[in-house]
Amino acid sequence: EPPAPNRALHFHKAHYQSAGIAEGQFTALKMDTEYLKNTVGDALTRGCAVTATVRPADSVEYLANWLQQYAKNESIEAKFFAEKVAAEECVATDKAVADAADVAEQEERALQVEGLKNLAALMEDPFELFSRVAHLVQTHTSAGMVYIGSLQADTKQLSELPDDDDGEDAPEPEDVGEAPEPEESTPEEEGDPFGYKAKHLAYVAASPGAEFMVGRELRRRAEEAGEADGEASGSVETRGITFALIDRGIPVVDVPNVLYKMAEVKFFKAVPRVGAYYAQAVTNAGTGEVRAVLAADTTITLGGGRPFTPADKAFIAEVSSAAGRCLEAMDAALADYAVKADDAHSPPPEPVEGDDADAEAAPAEATEEAAAEATSDDNPAVGVEAAKAALGAAAAEVAAVQFDAVDILRLYQNEPPATAALLRGVLALLGTSPVVARALTWHALRAEVLTDDFFNALASFDVSADPPSSEAAGFLRQSYVSLSARTLWRESPLGAPLRNYVVKVRALMKVEAALAHSAAADAVAAADAVAAADAAGENVAAEVEA
């Protein structure tokens, strides 16, 4: 007799064998039984248990209906659990995405804070500051292009100074005392406390891809109706949304799509493009004066054409505030320098009544006339050598202040008028066309003169070998003849030594001209003497023959 666990199997096997079922068929039947047990065994067991409990009249039909409902319930339950799992996975995915976004936002914010920290340390050059501002805003916002407009005063042309009929210039001014300052208008009375009406926007920095903006200018445009009516220029209204930041004190200009503002937006390229424009005033926190405009756009050239997000605008405001504080620090450094320059180069005290007038101190710098007096010597060549020595000393003075002067001049956002005029004249002396030199903006002028090449050119300049043209000489004289040394000292350490250098150059030119004139006169006299001797010899010969 088989063991107890296999008795049923043995019974069924014996039963099938007695029924004529082969061993192979029995094995297949066993496998089918396993299949049914694994697939429908649980359902049948539950259905049979329920049927046995209910004991319906038609147990087969009842069991069949129960199994059909069980199959439906299984499908519903499977779908429910599948949806539940999918929902849980979706929530987990959303949470992972949100967590990743939070991490990315925190990392981005850390980079923004680091960028603002580095920006706050830029207190030596406003144009370097503006370049960093443009790069920072483009990197950390959706802006495609960023460009900085520096508020610059409209350049005044130098007045023409006619030469005397004999070609000699008027005497140079002596810098014993403070030169009278030109009368200035009072813009406060006109409702323009910072003189905005006489200023324009010069774009001096831009992000990569927007370099074409550097060197461009944005000026006010008078309304055509006002011009047609012949209204005075001061009463003609202006248009242009960017100037609203300056003239009306609006803190920001936000245009979601510039195509809707084509009458007020200037497109520097011929084809207008879809996108947003956002501009923020860079102001002096203490006075409220607008110093520059931080402008950005999302036009489809480099941007996505979408409006700026609140996060973008908030960061632009932070950058603008940081830049304003940096400009304030530079202004403070310039003011501190001016005070020290006043103390170091103050005019001599007024002579006390009764003092000998001859005891007054002589001017610190020699005038051209003093240098030209050397031509009265018996040997004019001595005057030339003295003038060259004086020019060499003046060149050494310029070289001595080079680094301090460059540091101070780099602090200026707007040009120091006296020093800038003098620098343009010196560029003409060194070979730049006066027309080109006159047209240089402060941004472009800095690039020309705040370099080692400029100072090396001054040190090696030989006026004898490369004399300036009459046009350049006239422009040079216009650039410095009315400037006082004290005014130049207050602007930078370079101005007064450079003016003295120019004075010595012109003195040498005059001495060499006088020497050349003297040599020419001597040559003419010698020629006349030879001619006279020849004539006398001919007369003697004629008398002898007679």
Side-chain angles (χ1 to χ4, degrees):
E1 183 179 0
N6 296 323
R7 286 175 184 173
L9 179 61
H10 177 76
F11 171 78
H12 289 295
K13 184 176 180 181
H15 175 73
Y16 290 134
Q17 287 176 348
S18 63
I21 298 175
E23 180 72 21
Q25 292 175 322
F26 176 76
T27 302
L29 182 62
K30 177 184 176 183
M31 293 176 63
D32 291 341
T33 303
E34 291 294 329
Y35 164 75
L36 293 173
K37 180 180 178 181
N38 293 332
T39 56
V40 299
D42 182 63
L44 285 173
T45 302
R46 293 185 183 187
C48 291
V50 172
T51 302
T53 302
V54 176
R55 294 181 181 275
D58 190 345
S59 59
V60 174
E61 182 180 3
Y62 181 86
L63 179 59
N65 291 334
W66 188 93
L67 289 173
Q68 187 177 19
Q69 187 61 42
Y70 178 85
K72 292 180 179 180
N73 291 344
E74 279 286 307
S75 176
I76 294 172
E77 185 178 3
K79 182 178 179 181
F80 169 76
F81 281 109
E83 291 177 350
K84 181 179 179 181
V85 171
E88 290 175 350
E89 291 177 351
C90 184
V91 170
T93 301
D94 290 344
K95 184 177 184 304
V97 171
D99 291 344
D102 289 342
V103 172
E105 183 177 350
Q106 293 173 5
E107 292 176 349
E108 175 66 13
R109 183 55 188 168
L111 292 174
Q112 289 181 351
V113 171
E114 183 67 20
L116 290 169
K117 181 180 177 181
N118 294 334
L119 191 70
L122 297 177
M123 298 183 181
E124 298 178 352
D125 188 333
F127 297 98
E128 180 184 353
L129 171 70
F130 292 150
S131 295
R132 192 70 62 86
V133 164
H135 177 75
L136 192 63
V137 171
Q138 186 192 44
T139 302
H140 298 292
T141 68
S142 56
M145 293 188 289
V146 184
Y147 28 95
I148 312 300
S150 175
L151 205 60
Q152 300 284 328
D154 296 335
T155 303
K156 295 181 179 179
Q157 297 297 329
L158 296 171
S159 59
E160 294 293 333
L161 298 176
D163 291 338
D164 295 336
D165 292 339
D166 60 357
E168 294 295 325
D169 296 337
E172 307 298 333
E174 296 182 358
D175 300 316
V176 177
E178 177 71 38
E181 297 292 338
E183 295 184 3
E184 296 182 357
S185 61
T186 56
E188 292 83 354
E189 300 176 358
E190 304 173 0
D192 186 17
F194 301 112
Y196 293 147
K197 292 180 180 178
K199 295 181 179 180
H200 63 278
L201 284 174
Y203 291 98
V204 296
S207 60
E211 294 88 349
F212 70 93
M213 287 294 295
V214 177
R216 302 289 185 96
E217 293 182 347
L218 187 64
R219 296 178 180 269
R220 292 174 175 80
R221 297 176 294 174
E223 293 287 359
E224 295 177 1
E227 293 177 350
D229 295 340
E231 298 180 9
S233 59
S235 63
V236 175
E237 294 183 358
T238 59
R239 61 181 176 176
I241 55 176
T242 303
F243 280 107
L245 293 169
I246 302 167
D247 299 330
R248 294 191 298 225
I250 298 175
V252 298
V253 168
D254 186 6
V255 182
N257 190 342
V258 294
L259 292 184
Y260 296 136
K261 293 282 187 178
M262 290 186 64
E264 301 173 77
V265 175
K266 177 177 177 60
F267 294 90
F268 283 95
K269 288 192 172 182
V271 180
R273 298 181 183 275
V274 176
Y277 175 75
Y278 192 84
Q280 173 105 32
V282 179
T283 60
N284 183 309
T287 63
E289 178 185 5
V290 178
R291 302 293 300 278
V293 172
L294 194 175
D297 68 59
T298 63
T299 53
I300 58 174
T301 303
L302 292 175
R306 294 181 295 274
F308 287 93
T309 66
D312 290 339
K313 299 173 186 178
F315 182 64
I316 290 174
E318 287 184 295
V319 173
S320 176
S321 297
R325 290 190 294 270
C326 291
L327 292 176
E328 288 181 54
M330 296 181 207
D331 290 344
L334 286 172
D336 181 63
Y337 166 77
V339 170
K340 293 179 180 178
D342 278 339
D343 294 341
H345 304 284
S346 58
E350 295 292 334
V352 180
E353 186 176 354
D355 288 351
D356 187 1
D358 294 336
E360 295 182 8
E365 62 178 77
T367 63
E368 292 183 27
E369 287 70 28
E373 288 177 359
T375 59
S376 63
D377 294 342
D378 294 336
N379 184 2
V382 175
V384 172
E385 295 303 320
K388 288 184 176 180
L391 178 58
E397 291 177 4
V398 172
V401 300
Q402 172 183 348
F403 298 107
D404 291 339
V406 168
D407 289 343
I408 292 297
L409 289 173
R410 286 191 187 280
L411 293 171
Y412 282 96
Q413 178 187 352
N414 293 286
E415 67 177 43
T419 304
L422 181 59
L423 287 169
R424 290 187 177 96
V426 173
L427 283 178
L429 174 68
L430 297 177
T432 301
S433 166
V435 175
V436 174
R438 183 182 287 109
L440 289 175
T441 64
W442 173 235
H443 184 231
L445 182 62
R446 281 172 29 118
E448 293 286 339
V449 301
L450 300 186
T451 62
D452 290 340
D453 290 343
F454 174 76
F455 286 93
N456 292 337
L458 283 177
S460 61
F461 178 68
D462 186 353
V463 68
S464 302
D466 190 16
S469 65
S470 59
E471 181 185 9
F475 180 71
L476 175 64
R477 178 174 177 267
Q478 294 173 30
S479 70
Y480 85 99
V481 71
S482 62
L483 303 179
S484 70
R486 189 180 181 202
T487 300
L488 291 167
W489 275 122
R490 294 187 80 251
E491 290 184 350
S492 79
L494 177 62
L498 187 60
R499 177 184 180 277
N500 185 42
Y501 174 88
V502 171
V503 167
K504 298 302 186 289
V505 167
R506 288 176 57 83
L508 178 57
M509 291 170 60
K510 287 187 174 184
V511 173
E512 289 185 334
L515 180 60
H517 179 74
S518 176
D522 291 344
V524 170
D528 290 343
V530 171
D534 291 343
E538 291 176 358
N539 292 335
V540 170
E543 291 176 359
V544 170
E545 290 179 358

CSV table of all heavy atoms in Angstrom, one decimal, residues 5-45:
chain,number,residue,atom,x,y,z
A,5,PRO,N,0.4,10.2,2.0
A,5,PRO,CA,0.3,11.4,1.2
A,5,PRO,C,0.0,11.1,-0.3
A,5,PRO,O,-0.5,11.9,-1.0
A,5,PRO,CB,1.7,12.1,1.3
A,5,PRO,CG,2.3,11.6,2.6
A,5,PRO,CD,1.8,10.1,2.7
A,6,ASN,N,0.4,9.9,-0.7
A,6,ASN,CA,0.2,9.6,-2.2
A,6,ASN,C,-1.0,8.6,-2.4
A,6,ASN,O,-1.1,8.1,-3.5
A,6,ASN,CB,1.5,9.0,-2.7
A,6,ASN,CG,2.6,9.9,-2.7
A,6,ASN,OD1,2.4,11.1,-2.9
A,6,ASN,ND2,3.8,9.4,-2.4
A,7,ARG,N,-1.8,8.4,-1.4
A,7,ARG,CA,-2.9,7.5,-1.6
A,7,ARG,C,-3.9,7.9,-2.6
A,7,ARG,O,-4.3,7.2,-3.5
A,7,ARG,CB,-3.6,7.2,-0.3
A,7,ARG,CG,-2.8,6.4,0.7
A,7,ARG,CD,-3.5,6.2,2.0
A,7,ARG,NE,-2.6,5.5,3.0
A,7,ARG,CZ,-2.9,5.3,4.2
A,7,ARG,NH1,-4.0,5.9,4.7
A,7,ARG,NH2,-2.1,4.6,5.0
A,8,ALA,N,-4.2,9.2,-2.5
A,8,ALA,CA,-5.2,9.8,-3.5
A,8,ALA,C,-4.7,9.7,-4.9
A,8,ALA,O,-5.4,9.3,-5.8
A,8,ALA,CB,-5.6,11.2,-3.1
A,9,LEU,N,-3.4,10.1,-5.1
A,9,LEU,CA,-2.8,10.0,-6.4
A,9,LEU,C,-2.8,8.6,-6.9
A,9,LEU,O,-3.1,8.3,-8.0
A,9,LEU,CB,-1.4,10.6,-6.4
A,9,LEU,CG,-0.7,10.6,-7.7
A,9,LEU,CD1,-1.4,11.4,-8.8
A,9,LEU,CD2,0.8,11.1,-7.5
A,10,HIS,N,-2.4,7.7,-6.0
A,10,HIS,CA,-2.4,6.3,-6.3
A,10,HIS,C,-3.8,5.8,-6.7
A,10,HIS,O,-3.9,5.0,-7.7
A,10,HIS,CB,-1.8,5.4,-5.2
A,10,HIS,CG,-1.8,4.0,-5.4
A,10,HIS,ND1,-0.8,3.4,-6.3
A,10,HIS,CD2,-2.6,3.0,-5.0
A,10,HIS,CE1,-1.0,2.1,-6.3
A,10,HIS,NE2,-2.1,1.8,-5.6
A,11,PHE,N,-4.8,6.2,-6.0
A,11,PHE,CA,-6.1,5.8,-6.3
A,11,PHE,C,-6.6,6.3,-7.7
A,11,PHE,O,-7.1,5.5,-8.5
A,11,PHE,CB,-7.1,6.3,-5.2
A,11,PHE,CG,-8.5,6.1,-5.6
A,11,PHE,CD1,-9.2,4.9,-5.4
A,11,PHE,CD2,-9.3,7.2,-6.1
A,11,PHE,CE1,-10.5,4.7,-5.7
A,11,PHE,CE2,-10.6,6.9,-6.4
A,11,PHE,CZ,-11.2,5.7,-6.2
A,12,HIS,N,-6.3,7.6,-7.9
A,12,HIS,CA,-6.7,8.1,-9.2
A,12,HIS,C,-6.0,7.5,-10.3
A,12,HIS,O,-6.5,7.2,-11.4
A,12,HIS,CB,-6.5,9.6,-9.2
A,12,HIS,CG,-7.5,10.4,-8.3
A,12,HIS,ND1,-8.8,10.4,-8.6
A,12,HIS,CD2,-7.3,11.1,-7.2
A,12,HIS,CE1,-9.4,11.1,-7.7
A,12,HIS,NE2,-8.5,11.6,-6.8
A,13,LYS,N,-4.7,7.2,-10.1
A,13,LYS,CA,-3.9,6.6,-11.1
A,13,LYS,C,-4.4,5.2,-11.4
A,13,LYS,O,-4.5,4.7,-12.6
A,13,LYS,CB,-2.4,6.5,-10.7
A,13,LYS,CG,-1.5,6.0,-11.7
A,13,LYS,CD,0.0,6.1,-11.2
A,13,LYS,CE,0.9,5.5,-12.3
A,13,LYS,NZ,2.3,5.6,-11.8
A,14,ALA,N,-4.7,4.4,-10.4
A,14,ALA,CA,-5.3,3.1,-10.5
A,14,ALA,C,-6.6,3.1,-11.2
A,14,ALA,O,-6.9,2.3,-12.1
A,14,ALA,CB,-5.4,2.4,-9.2
A,15,HIS,N,-7.4,4.2,-10.8
A,15,HIS,CA,-8.7,4.3,-11.5
A,15,HIS,C,-8.6,4.6,-13.0
A,15,HIS,O,-9.3,4.0,-13.8
A,15,HIS,CB,-9.5,5.5,-10.8
A,15,HIS,CG,-10.8,5.8,-11.4
A,15,HIS,ND1,-11.9,4.9,-11.3
A,15,HIS,CD2,-11.2,6.8,-12.2
A,15,HIS,CE1,-12.9,5.4,-12.0
A,15,HIS,NE2,-12.5,6.6,-12.5
A,16,TYR,N,-7.7,5.5,-13.3
A,16,TYR,CA,-7.5,5.8,-14.7
A,16,TYR,C,-6.9,4.6,-15.5
A,16,TYR,O,-7.3,4.4,-16.7
A,16,TYR,CB,-6.6,7.0,-14.9
A,16,TYR,CG,-7.2,8.3,-14.5
A,16,TYR,CD1,-6.6,9.2,-13.7
A,16,TYR,CD2,-8.6,8.6,-14.8
A,16,TYR,CE1,-7.1,10.4,-13.2
A,16,TYR,CE2,-9.2,9.8,-14.4
A,16,TYR,CZ,-8.4,10.7,-13.6
A,16,TYR,OH,-9.0,11.8,-13.2
A,17,GLN,N,-6.1,3.9,-14.9
A,17,GLN,CA,-5.5,2.7,-15.6
A,17,GLN,C,-6.6,1.6,-15.8
A,17,GLN,O,-6.6,1.0,-16.8
A,17,GLN,CB,-4.4,2.1,-14.7
A,17,GLN,CG,-3.1,2.9,-14.8
A,17,GLN,CD,-2.0,2.4,-13.8
A,17,GLN,OE1,-2.3,1.5,-13.0
A,17,GLN,NE2,-0.8,2.9,-14.0
A,18,SER,N,-7.5,1.5,-14.8
A,18,SER,CA,-8.6,0.5,-15.0
A,18,SER,C,-9.5,1.0,-16.1
A,18,SER,O,-10.2,0.2,-16.7
A,18,SER,CB,-9.3,0.3,-13.6
A,18,SER,OG,-9.9,1.6,-13.3
A,19,ALA,N,-9.5,2.3,-16.3
A,19,ALA,CA,-10.4,2.9,-17.3
A,19,ALA,C,-9.7,2.8,-18.7
A,19,ALA,O,-10.2,3.4,-19.7
A,19,ALA,CB,-10.8,4.3,-17.0
A,20,GLY,N,-8.5,2.3,-18.7
A,20,GLY,CA,-7.8,2.2,-20.0
A,20,GLY,C,-7.0,3.4,-20.4
A,20,GLY,O,-6.7,3.6,-21.5
A,21,ILE,N,-6.7,4.3,-19.4
A,21,ILE,CA,-5.9,5.5,-19.7
A,21,ILE,C,-4.4,5.2,-19.5
A,21,ILE,O,-4.0,4.7,-18.5
A,21,ILE,CB,-6.3,6.7,-18.7
A,21,ILE,CG1,-7.8,7.0,-18.9
A,21,ILE,CG2,-5.5,7.9,-18.9
A,21,ILE,CD1,-8.4,8.0,-17.9
A,22,ALA,N,-3.7,5.6,-20.5
A,22,ALA,CA,-2.2,5.3,-20.5
A,22,ALA,C,-1.5,6.1,-19.5
A,22,ALA,O,-2.0,7.2,-19.1
A,22,ALA,CB,-1.7,5.4,-21.9
A,23,GLU,N,-0.3,5.7,-19.2
A,23,GLU,CA,0.6,6.5,-18.3
A,23,GLU,C,0.9,7.9,-18.8
A,23,GLU,O,0.8,8.8,-18.0
A,23,GLU,CB,1.9,5.7,-18.1
A,23,GLU,CG,2.9,6.3,-17.1
A,23,GLU,CD,2.4,6.3,-15.7
A,23,GLU,OE1,1.6,5.4,-15.4
A,23,GLU,OE2,2.8,7.1,-14.8
A,24,GLY,N,1.2,8.1,-20.1
A,24,GLY,CA,1.5,9.4,-20.6
A,24,GLY,C,0.3,10.3,-20.5
A,24,GLY,O,0.4,11.5,-20.2
A,25,GLN,N,-0.9,9.7,-20.8
A,25,GLN,CA,-2.1,10.5,-20.7
A,25,GLN,C,-2.3,11.0,-19.3
A,25,GLN,O,-2.8,12.1,-19.0
A,25,GLN,CB,-3.3,9.8,-21.3
A,25,GLN,CG,-3.2,9.5,-22.8
A,25,GLN,CD,-4.4,8.6,-23.2
A,25,GLN,OE1,-4.8,7.7,-22.5
A,25,GLN,NE2,-4.9,9.0,-24.4
A,26,PHE,N,-2.1,10.1,-18.3
A,26,PHE,CA,-2.2,10.4,-16.9
A,26,PHE,C,-1.3,11.6,-16.5
A,26,PHE,O,-1.7,12.5,-15.8
A,26,PHE,CB,-2.0,9.2,-16.1
A,26,PHE,CG,-2.0,9.5,-14.6
A,26,PHE,CD1,-3.2,9.7,-14.0
A,26,PHE,CD2,-0.9,9.6,-13.9
A,26,PHE,CE1,-3.3,9.9,-12.6
A,26,PHE,CE2,-0.9,9.9,-12.5
A,26,PHE,CZ,-2.1,10.0,-11.9
A,27,THR,N,0.0,11.5,-17.0
A,27,THR,CA,0.9,12.6,-16.7
A,27,THR,C,0.4,14.0,-17.3
A,27,THR,O,0.5,15.0,-16.6
A,27,THR,CB,2.3,12.3,-17.3
A,27,THR,OG1,2.7,11.0,-16.8
A,27,THR,CG2,3.3,13.4,-17.0
A,28,ALA,N,-0.1,13.9,-18.5
A,28,ALA,CA,-0.7,15.2,-19.1
A,28,ALA,C,-1.8,15.7,-18.3
A,28,ALA,O,-2.0,16.9,-18.1
A,28,ALA,CB,-1.1,14.9,-20.5
A,29,LEU,N,-2.7,14.7,-17.8
A,29,LEU,CA,-3.8,15.1,-17.0
A,29,LEU,C,-3.4,15.7,-15.7
A,29,LEU,O,-4.0,16.7,-15.2
A,29,LEU,CB,-4.7,13.9,-16.8
A,29,LEU,CG,-6.0,14.2,-16.0
A,29,LEU,CD1,-6.9,15.2,-16.8
A,29,LEU,CD2,-6.8,12.8,-15.8
A,30,LYS,N,-2.3,15.2,-15.2
A,30,LYS,CA,-1.7,15.8,-13.9
A,30,LYS,C,-1.3,17.2,-14.2
A,30,LYS,O,-1.5,18.1,-13.3
A,30,LYS,CB,-0.6,14.9,-13.5
A,30,LYS,CG,0.1,15.4,-12.2
A,30,LYS,CD,1.3,14.6,-11.8
A,30,LYS,CE,2.0,15.2,-10.6
A,30,LYS,NZ,3.2,14.4,-10.3
A,31,MET,N,-0.6,17.5,-15.3
A,31,MET,CA,-0.1,18.8,-15.6
A,31,MET,C,-1.3,19.8,-15.8
A,31,MET,O,-1.3,20.9,-15.3
A,31,MET,CB,0.7,18.8,-16.8
A,31,MET,CG,2.1,18.1,-16.7
A,31,MET,SD,3.0,18.0,-18.2
A,31,MET,CE,3.3,19.7,-18.5
A,32,ASP,N,-2.4,19.3,-16.4
A,32,ASP,CA,-3.6,20.2,-16.6
A,32,ASP,C,-4.2,20.5,-15.3
A,32,ASP,O,-4.7,21.6,-15.0
A,32,ASP,CB,-4.6,19.5,-17.5
A,32,ASP,CG,-4.1,19.3,-18.9
A,32,ASP,OD1,-3.2,20.1,-19.3
A,32,ASP,OD2,-4.6,18.5,-19.7
A,33,THR,N,-4.2,19.5,-14.4
A,33,THR,CA,-4.7,19.8,-13.1
A,33,THR,C,-3.9,20.8,-12.3
A,33,THR,O,-4.5,21.7,-11.7
A,33,THR,CB,-4.7,18.5,-12.2
A,33,THR,OG1,-5.4,17.5,-13.0
A,33,THR,CG2,-5.3,18.6,-10.9
A,34,GLU,N,-2.6,20.8,-12.5
A,34,GLU,CA,-1.8,21.8,-11.8
A,34,GLU,C,-2.1,23.2,-12.4
A,34,GLU,O,-2.1,24.2,-11.7
A,34,GLU,CB,-0.3,21.5,-12.1
A,34,GLU,CG,0.2,20.3,-11.3
A,34,GLU,CD,0.1,20.5,-9.8
A,34,GLU,OE1,0.3,21.7,-9.4
A,34,GLU,OE2,-0.1,19.6,-9.1
A,35,TYR,N,-2.3,23.2,-13.7
A,35,TYR,CA,-2.6,24.5,-14.4
A,35,TYR,C,-3.9,25.1,-13.8
A,35,TYR,O,-4.0,26.2,-13.5
A,35,TYR,CB,-2.7,24.3,-15.9
A,35,TYR,CG,-3.4,25.4,-16.6
A,35,TYR,CD1,-2.8,26.6,-16.8
A,35,TYR,CD2,-4.7,25.3,-17.1
A,35,TYR,CE1,-3.4,27.7,-17.5
A,35,TYR,CE2,-5.4,26.3,-17.7
A,35,TYR,CZ,-4.7,27.5,-17.9
A,35,TYR,OH,-5.3,28.6,-18.5
A,36,LEU,N,-5.0,24.2,-13.8
A,36,LEU,CA,-6.3,24.7,-13.3
A,36,LEU,C,-6.2,25.1,-11.8
A,36,LEU,O,-6.8,26.1,-11.4
A,36,LEU,CB,-7.3,23.5,-13.4
A,36,LEU,CG,-7.7,23.2,-14.9
A,36,LEU,CD1,-8.6,21.9,-14.9
A,36,LEU,CD2,-8.3,24.3,-15.6
A,37,LYS,N,-5.4,24.4,-11.1
A,37,LYS,CA,-5.2,24.7,-9.7
A,37,LYS,C,-4.5,26.1,-9.5
A,37,LYS,O,-4.9,26.9,-8.6
A,37,LYS,CB,-4.3,23.6,-9.0
A,37,LYS,CG,-4.1,23.9,-7.5
A,37,LYS,CD,-3.2,22.8,-6.9
A,37,LYS,CE,-2.9,23.1,-5.4
A,37,LYS,NZ,-2.0,22.0,-4.9
A,38,ASN,N,-3.6,26.4,-10.4
A,38,ASN,CA,-2.9,27.6,-10.3
A,38,ASN,C,-3.6,28.8,-10.8
A,38,ASN,O,-3.4,30.0,-10.4
A,38,ASN,CB,-1.5,27.6,-11.0
A,38,ASN,CG,-0.6,26.6,-10.3
A,38,ASN,OD1,-0.6,26.4,-9.1
A,38,ASN,ND2,0.3,26.0,-11.1
A,39,THR,N,-4.6,28.6,-11.7
A,39,THR,CA,-5.3,29.7,-12.4
A,39,THR,C,-6.7,29.9,-11.9
A,39,THR,O,-7.1,31.0,-11.5
A,39,THR,CB,-5.3,29.4,-13.9
A,39,THR,OG1,-6.0,28.1,-14.1
A,39,THR,CG2,-3.9,29.5,-14.5
A,40,VAL,N,-7.5,28.8,-11.7
A,40,VAL,CA,-8.9,29.0,-11.3
A,40,VAL,C,-9.2,28.3,-10.0
A,40,VAL,O,-10.3,28.3,-9.5
A,40,VAL,CB,-9.8,28.5,-12.4
A,40,VAL,CG1,-9.6,29.3,-13.7
A,40,VAL,CG2,-9.6,27.0,-12.6
A,41,GLY,N,-8.1,27.7,-9.4
A,41,GLY,CA,-8.4,26.9,-8.2
A,41,GLY,C,-8.9,27.8,-7.1
A,41,GLY,O,-9.9,27.5,-6.4
A,42,ASP,N,-8.3,29.0,-6.9
A,42,ASP,CA,-8.8,29.9,-5.8
A,42,ASP,C,-10.2,30.4,-6.0
A,42,ASP,O,-11.0,30.4,-5.1
A,42,ASP,CB,-7.8,31.1,-5.7
A,42,ASP,CG,-8.2,32.0,-4.6
A,42,ASP,OD1,-8.1,31.5,-3.4
A,42,ASP,OD2,-8.5,33.2,-4.8
A,43,ALA,N,-10.5,30.7,-7.3
A,43,ALA,CA,-11.8,31.2,-7.6
A,43,ALA,C,-12.9,30.1,-7.4
A,43,ALA,O,-14.0,30.4,-6.8
A,43,ALA,CB,-11.9,31.7,-9.0
A,44,LEU,N,-12.6,28.9,-7.9
A,44,LEU,CA,-13.5,27.8,-7.7
A,44,LEU,C,-13.7,27.5,-6.2
A,44,LEU,O,-14.8,27.2,-5.8
A,44,LEU,CB,-13.0,26.6,-8.5
A,44,LEU,CG,-13.2,26.6,-10.0
A,44,LEU,CD1,-12.5,25.5,-10.7
A,44,LEU,CD2,-14.6,26.7,-10.4
A,45,THR,N,-12.6,27.5,-5.5
A,45,THR,CA,-12.7,27.1,-4.1
A,45,THR,C,-13.6,28.1,-3.4
A,45,THR,O,-14.5,27.8,-2.6
A,45,THR,CB,-11.4,27.1,-3.4
A,45,THR,OG1,-10.5,26.2,-4.1
A,45,THR,CG2,-11.4,26.8,-1.9
